[in-house]
Amino acid sequence: MSSSANHNSSTVAPKAFGVPAAELHANAGDTPATTSPIRHIYVHIPFCARICPYCAFYKDLLDRSQTWRFCEAILCELDGQRTCFEISPKTVYFGGGTPTALTTSQLEFLVEGFCERLDLSSLEEWTMEANPGSVSARKATLLRRLGVTRISLGVQSWEDNLLKVLGREHSAQQAEQSFYLLRRAGFTNINVDLMFGLPGQTTEQWELTLEKTIALQPDHISAYCLTYEEDTEFFLRHVRGEFRQDADTDAEFFEMAMAILEHAGYEHYETSNYARPGFSSVHNHAYWFGKDYVGIGPSAVSTVGMRRWQNVCDYRTYIDRVLCGQSPRAATENLTDEMKRMERIALSLRTRDGVSASELKRFAQETNEFIALGLLRKSNGNFVLTQKGKAVADSVAEAFL
Ligand SMILES: C[S@@+](CC[C@H](N)C(=O)[O-])C[C@H]1O[C@@H](n2cnc3c(N)ncnc32)[C@H](O)[C@@H]1O
Ligand code: SF4
């Protein structure tokens, strides 16, 4: 069985969960009727100062001649969504790409635009992804002042040689400076993204990266196993045999992360996510437990009721369409109860709370086998992965799909 301690696209939601975008119908459908307000918004900012060779998220090289038009289009799409739904968010998540690749004035325009347009009286968490190469004291102070509450900082590794392999635009020292700068700007909820299973990475290096991260005392840590995503340079190098992946080594990295981070007081609340008590991500919980959310920006996915749709990926097409009053939707699909059930099982199995026993009733044989193998246990009426089971979470989930 392969390690499932991998990067989970659901954390940032630019992709449809379990549904390749190409399988969504190319026809934009009607807006689903909903009586309750939308509580979760995802905003996709696709620009990056440099393209990392392992990354499959929708992104493009930063083109400063397009960014102001892009910001206008984002607010214009938000206005359109507000005519369809009542939006009173508990969480807002700006992901990418790299939101901090925008200038301070553009971020101010966007964040203020959201504040002016939305009822934020229920807001609990406003996250912005940041790249250490594009964080400045001015930007950080402004974001905090305008109401962003949480920063997700893409550190990946504290080893400069590995950052070079990853094609990152920053050094380890810059990442550390960015972390402190964010703290000084008043952010009391900071996530650090780390990656393991990297080409040439040793367990000693991974241990040092974990220890160094703990020493900084972030509030949340996401630890993703490198996945070789199709259409990336890393995938080609993997296929050519230059970069090898070993499931046993990945499992060892994953187990080290669990042991070291839990020992340091971080709760392992989802396969790839660890948090100090009280700091698990509210936005991610919403995805994992099947809540409705609206996605804004190129490639963003929305799910409301039994309807899911995705915006066009190409950001230039996105801007052109939105600014001339057309819908940016590229594809819509109707979900079935069975599809929703499958997603619920796959996503909630990765969480600390697990899956309710009633959901797995018709899989008695499989659950008994996993219990006998020491991969699953029963707790408070739910089936929950054991420590051993967490390392193979996706393989266990597959048996139920
Ligand atoms: C959208 S990116 C983060 C924001 C920012 N652009 C950055 O790179 O710092 C979200 C996170 O996904 C993880 N990630 C991206 N591609 C990955 C891959 N192929 N395998 C595993 N993790 C990946 C990285 O940890 C990254 O920080
Ligand atoms: S900076 Fe982040 S979003 Fe951009 S290419 Fe690199 S990993 Fe992907």
Side-chain angles (χ1 to χ4, degrees):
M1 280 189 272
S2 67
S3 164
S4 68
N6 57 358
H7 170 244
N8 173 15
S9 59
S10 67
T11 57
V12 284
K15 296 173 188 164
F17 306 135
V19 187
E23 285 176 23
L24 297 173
H25 307 298
N27 241 342
D30 301 330
T31 297
T34 174
T35 46
S36 39
I38 301 293
R39 297 290 189 194
H40 308 281
I41 308 184
Y42 174 77
V43 183
H44 194 76
I45 314 285
F47 305 108
C48 294
R50 200 201 274 191
I51 302 298
C52 306
Y54 55 87
C55 175
F57 290 99
Y58 171 62
K59 76 279 168 196
D60 210 331
L61 260 189
L62 178 64
D63 176 350
R64 295 257 180 238
S65 71
Q66 297 296 315
T67 43
W68 270 115
R69 282 184 78 230
F70 173 81
C71 293
E72 279 163 29
I74 289 284
L75 292 185
C76 193
E77 191 193 354
L78 177 62
D79 285 335
Q81 298 287 9
R82 286 166 60 229
T83 62
C84 301
F85 306 110
E86 183 189 346
I87 306 179
S88 172
K90 268 171 76 169
T91 68
V92 179
Y93 194 110
F94 276 47
T98 310
T100 52
L102 296 175
T103 63
T104 307
S105 324
Q106 288 162 348
L107 288 168
E108 183 172 24
F109 174 77
L110 273 187
V111 175
E112 277 184 344
F114 271 64
C115 293
E116 282 159 13
R117 287 165 173 78
L118 295 172
D119 164 16
L120 294 177
S121 56
S122 310
L123 190 76
E124 291 175 22
E125 183 184 278
W126 189 333
T127 302
M128 189 158 299
E129 287 182 353
N131 187 314
S134 57
V135 177
S136 68
R138 228 179 114 229
K139 226 176 246 184
T141 307
L142 170 100
L143 292 174
R144 185 66 205 99
R145 181 172 59 75
L146 291 180
V148 174
T149 61
R150 182 173 183 268
I151 296 287
S152 179
L153 187 65
V155 171
Q156 322 309 350
S157 171
W158 295 108
E159 302 278 340
D160 279 331
N161 60 334
L162 290 176
L163 290 175
K164 209 171 259 176
V165 172
L166 290 174
R168 299 291 294 178
E169 58 160 327
H170 57 86
S171 64
Q173 195 192 11
Q174 260 177 306
E176 184 173 357
Q177 284 165 354
S178 300
F179 181 88
Y180 284 122
L181 182 154
L182 290 163
R183 278 287 194 238
R184 278 196 300 274
F187 282 101
T188 54
N189 190 351
I190 303 180
N191 168 59
V192 165
D193 275 346
L194 299 176
M195 289 168 73
F196 62 88
L198 306 176
Q201 188 181 30
T202 63
T203 47
E204 289 74 22
Q205 283 177 320
W206 179 229
E207 187 175 351
L208 281 175
T209 279
L210 291 167
E211 297 295 356
K212 163 91 183 171
T213 307
I214 291 165
L216 291 180
Q217 298 185 300
D219 312 285
H220 189 287
I221 299 169
S222 297
Y224 300 118
C225 182
L226 172 67
T227 50
Y228 289 93
E229 306 273 2
E230 271 183 60
D231 296 327
T232 63
E233 191 187 317
F234 264 37
F235 183 76
L236 288 179
R237 297 181 73 173
H238 179 52
V239 170
R240 287 202 297 258
E242 277 176 58
F243 290 163
R244 294 180 192 285
Q245 188 162 40
D246 178 62
D248 291 338
T249 317
D250 287 350
E252 201 182 330
F253 282 123
F254 177 69
E255 276 154 27
M256 275 177 74
M258 264 196 302
I260 293 174
L261 296 177
E262 285 183 339
H263 181 73
Y266 288 91
E267 294 171 349
H268 189 199
Y269 73 102
E270 196 267 351
T271 307
S272 305
N273 290 288
Y274 302 80
R276 284 177 39 210
F279 285 87
S280 60
S281 159
V282 184
H283 190 79
N284 286 350
H285 269 287
Y287 289 142
W288 299 331
F289 292 99
K291 306 283 188 208
D292 288 346
Y293 58 91
V294 160
I296 290 175
S299 84
V301 172
S302 304
T303 304
V304 180
M306 301 304 275
R307 193 68 64 90
R308 173 169 295 157
W309 64 94
Q310 183 174 29
N311 284 350
V312 286
C313 288
D314 179 75
Y315 80 82
R316 289 182 169 85
T317 310
Y318 168 83
I319 297 174
D320 290 345
R321 280 210 202 170
V322 172
L323 292 185
C324 57
Q326 290 171 10
S327 164
R329 287 189 200 183
T332 303
E333 78 168 359
N334 290 318
L335 302 172
T336 62
D337 286 334
E338 184 59 9
M339 288 159 86
K340 283 214 151 190
R341 190 191 66 82
M342 277 163 46
E343 281 182 7
R344 228 174 17 243
I345 293 177
L347 294 174
S348 54
L349 197 59
R350 291 172 60 99
T351 68
R352 185 176 44 182
D353 297 336
V355 185
S356 83
S358 59
E359 196 96 79
L360 293 183
K361 219 177 212 160
R362 58 183 160 123
F363 295 102
Q365 192 189 332
E366 287 85 351
T367 43
N368 287 335
E369 278 171 17
F370 285 131
I371 289 172
L373 287 169
L375 300 176
L376 213 57
R377 67 187 165 83
K378 209 162 179 193
S379 163
N380 298 327
N382 281 10
F383 284 109
V384 182
L385 291 168
T386 60
Q387 294 294 83
K388 192 172 152 195
K390 286 177 183 177
V392 288
D394 290 345
S395 305
V396 175
E398 263 169 40
F400 303 122
L401 305 182

